[in-house]
Amino acid sequence: MKAEQHQIALLQGLARNDRKAIETIYKENFNLIQALVVNNNGSAEDAKDIFQEAMIVLYQKVQSGSFELNCQLKTFVYSVCRRLWLKRLMQQSKYSLHENTEDFVLVDEEMEEHEKRDNEFTVMEKAMGSLGEPCKSLLEAFYLQKKNMQEIAGTFGYTNAENAKTQKYKCLMRLKKIFFTQYKNVTP
């Protein structure tokens, strides 16, 4: 299926509340949005909220019957999420933004960079999947859930924070080795 037909099928599926279409839109876009939010003072939970809000915006637009997609679906979702995230940051006073400044940022250029990062996240996701337990959970606890080493020691049964830190370091080295091995295989 061509990319344009694929996008039309996804939008039609979304308009019908088709679960498979919604899941596909999520799978094809969420990592990019998570990277956007996490790299800009947000958390994984914030990314989920923003993505959900963008899906509601997209759903309402396709339900209106007059919506025309003039770019890639990924670009549209990214643009909506970016605006929603900037708005939330402004509300939280974490980001000072003059009115309409975001309009000056070229979304296409930013998209190219983010697509590259999205590919890297995909490789990282595969590397995390290959890492095994307890390393996977330990690294997620530290980097995604932002737990400190004392909490991690308690959760994973290490005698103290130093032992947990040593284990985290070993897990991180293993992850780096797996990541770069897989990364070399997917990049030209």
Side-chain angles (χ1 to χ4, degrees):
M1 184 182 291
K2 288 184 179 177
E4 189 174 325
Q5 291 173 329
H6 175 67
Q7 292 180 97
I8 291 169
L10 289 177
L11 292 176
Q12 289 171 342
L14 180 63
R16 292 188 315 265
N17 266 336
D18 178 49
R19 184 180 177 94
K20 189 174 179 181
I22 295 168
E23 286 175 359
T24 302
I25 293 170
Y26 180 87
K27 285 179 186 171
E28 291 180 355
N29 296 284
F30 182 71
N31 286 343
L32 184 65
I33 304 311
Q34 186 172 10
L36 168 72
V37 172
V38 170
N39 291 327
N40 290 288
N41 300 318
S43 67
E45 286 301 313
D46 293 328
K48 288 177 186 173
D49 290 345
I50 292 295
F51 191 81
Q52 185 63 31
E53 287 180 44
M55 287 296 288
I56 291 168
V57 169
L58 183 60
Y59 178 77
Q60 289 171 340
K61 286 193 177 284
V62 296
Q63 284 291 315
S64 75
S66 60
F67 177 63
E68 285 185 36
L69 187 64
N70 297 319
C71 59
Q72 288 185 16
L73 182 57
K74 183 176 264 194
T75 304
F76 179 83
V77 171
Y78 182 84
S79 269
V80 171
C81 287
R82 185 174 182 280
R83 286 182 182 272
L84 290 170
W85 184 238
L86 286 173
K87 186 177 173 184
R88 184 172 297 178
L89 287 176
M90 285 173 35
Q91 288 170 345
Q92 295 172 349
S93 299
K94 286 184 177 178
Y95 188 76
S96 174
L97 183 67
H98 298 291
E99 199 168 310
N100 296 327
T101 302
E102 70 264 26
D103 291 338
F104 295 110
V105 177
L106 299 174
V107 172
D108 286 341
E109 288 177 16
E110 204 171 275
M111 279 298 299
E112 190 174 305
E113 182 182 320
H114 280 282
E115 283 181 10
K116 182 181 174 220
R117 294 197 75 180
D118 190 36
N119 289 337
E120 291 170 351
F121 274 104
T122 301
V123 173
M124 180 57 80
E125 206 168 47
K126 287 180 184 172
M128 284 292 282
S130 303
L131 189 58
E133 294 295 340
C135 280
K136 181 182 175 204
S137 295
L138 193 155
L139 293 177
E140 286 176 347
F142 184 77
Y143 290 105
L144 298 179
Q145 298 163 8
K146 309 285 184 198
K147 290 185 176 179
N148 65 41
M149 296 316 294
Q150 192 63 44
E151 290 174 308
I152 290 172
T155 302
F156 290 88
Y158 297 111
T159 53
N160 57 43
E162 275 305 308
N163 286 342
K165 189 175 178 181
T166 302
Q167 188 59 41
K168 184 196 76 145
Y169 176 78
K170 288 178 181 176
C171 291
L172 188 59
M173 290 301 106
R174 253 177 60 200
L175 179 62
K176 281 183 177 179
K177 186 176 179 182
I178 294 169
F179 173 81
F180 285 112
T181 300
Q182 292 180 358
Y183 189 74
K184 285 178 191 171
N185 293 334
V186 296
T187 54

